[in-house]
Amino acid sequence: KKWCYHSIAECLPRPWRRRLRQFHSGNNILTMSADETEADNMCCASCGKAELDDIKLMDCDACDLVRYCSEKCQQEHRPYHELLCKERAAELRDEILFRQPERSHRGDCPICFLPLSIDQNQSKSQSCCSEAICKGCSQAHKLQQLQQRQYPTCPFCRHPVPKSQEEANKNMMKRIESNNPFAMQQMGRMCHKEGDYESAFEYLTKAAELGDATAHYNLSV
């Protein structure tokens, strides 16, 4: 026995029957109006019950496309909704994964070119090249070196990681001699923590003159 349109429609939940009728009549279900979509969201996707005072609908756990009045309806509707749900869940996951933070004065990570977070705890500065690397790139580089059993190096310039603070300060001074504003700002903050306010003011002023926004801020507080 061949399945006709009416026999297929009878097997579907009520909110989906109207969509099938629209598709059968030549109207694309993807071009539904906002009012029609909102009306569908006010009903259970399985049994068609409307959301009233004593009936509260719950959203699908994985996507934001349909709503249900009970877990039983959600389980019964799963075979009809599973494929569309997986596709929408993948879209939502990609939106979160590839969402870029708002750009700030800190610029971009020199490796992945994504904007650096204004929260400085989400990035790590390197004394060898005076670059700020996002945590994601730093962690990926660290895992790669552990897997290949390599000596730790800078994720950007591949310079060996300094073994002491004294060696890190020497690397920073080399960058300061080349008029790197980020290195000057870092040294100025370090001098301020050590109580050498005169040197801190000198380094921060020079960094601010070279356009470092963080140095401008540190001079104002």
Side-chain angles (χ1 to χ4, degrees):
K1 181 181 179 180
K2 294 184 178 180
W3 284 85
C4 64
Y5 157 73
H6 296 288
S7 59
I8 294 175
E10 289 301 321
C11 298
L12 294 176
R14 268 181 284 178
W16 289 77
R17 294 177 192 173
R18 178 162 58 85
R19 298 193 181 192
L20 182 60
R21 286 196 297 269
Q22 288 179 335
F23 182 78
H24 183 70
S25 62
N27 297 327
N28 193 339
I29 60 175
L30 297 180
T31 60
M32 294 175 63
S33 66
D35 293 337
E36 291 174 329
T37 304
E38 185 178 356
D40 278 349
N41 289 335
M42 296 298 292
C43 299
C44 175
S46 179
C47 65
K49 287 182 180 179
E51 186 175 32
L52 302 173
D53 294 337
D54 56 338
I55 300 177
K56 298 297 182 182
L57 300 181
M58 58 182 182
D59 295 328
C60 176
D61 296 333
C63 70
D64 55 1
L65 297 177
V66 294
R67 305 174 74 192
Y68 301 102
C69 63
S70 64
E71 293 184 0
K72 180 182 178 182
C73 282
Q74 186 174 6
Q75 292 295 330
E76 292 177 352
H77 189 249
R78 185 178 298 277
Y80 309 102
H81 177 59
E82 187 172 7
L83 180 60
L84 188 62
C85 182
K86 288 182 178 180
E87 292 178 357
R88 180 56 181 164
E91 292 177 0
L92 293 174
R93 184 183 66 246
D94 289 344
E95 288 177 7
I96 296 174
L97 181 62
F98 297 106
R99 182 185 300 157
Q100 297 187 11
E102 295 182 1
R103 293 188 178 275
S104 67
H105 65 279
R106 303 197 63 213
D108 301 336
C109 172
I111 298 177
C112 65
F113 300 108
L114 292 177
L116 290 170
S117 172
I118 197 168
D119 182 6
Q120 297 189 9
N121 293 324
Q122 299 300 319
S123 60
K124 185 178 180 181
S125 59
Q126 308 295 323
S127 63
C128 47
C129 55
S130 295
E131 293 288 350
I133 312 297
C134 71
K135 268 192 173 181
C137 291
S138 297
Q139 186 66 16
H141 180 69
K142 186 184 295 183
L143 290 175
Q144 183 182 20
Q145 289 187 321
L146 288 174
Q147 292 173 355
Q148 299 178 1
R149 298 182 179 180
Q150 298 176 345
Y151 185 81
T153 58
C154 171
F156 182 69
C157 67
R158 298 299 192 268
H159 189 279
V161 173
K163 298 179 180 179
S164 63
Q165 185 61 42
E166 183 180 355
E167 184 178 352
N169 292 342
K170 288 182 179 179
N171 293 336
M172 197 178 299
M173 289 304 300
K174 291 180 181 179
R175 303 303 302 166
I176 291 175
E177 291 173 1
S178 62
N179 287 332
N180 185 288
F182 183 77
M184 292 179 182
Q185 177 253 126
Q186 290 289 100
M187 182 60 73
R189 294 175 61 187
M190 190 180 301
C191 291
H192 185 272
K193 288 182 179 179
E194 295 174 353
D196 188 357
Y197 301 116
E198 185 175 347
S199 298
F201 181 79
E202 182 180 347
Y203 282 120
L204 290 173
T205 301
K206 182 63 176 178
E209 291 174 352
L210 292 174
D212 190 274
T214 305
H216 275 282
Y217 170 76
N218 290 322
L219 285 171
S220 65
V221 295

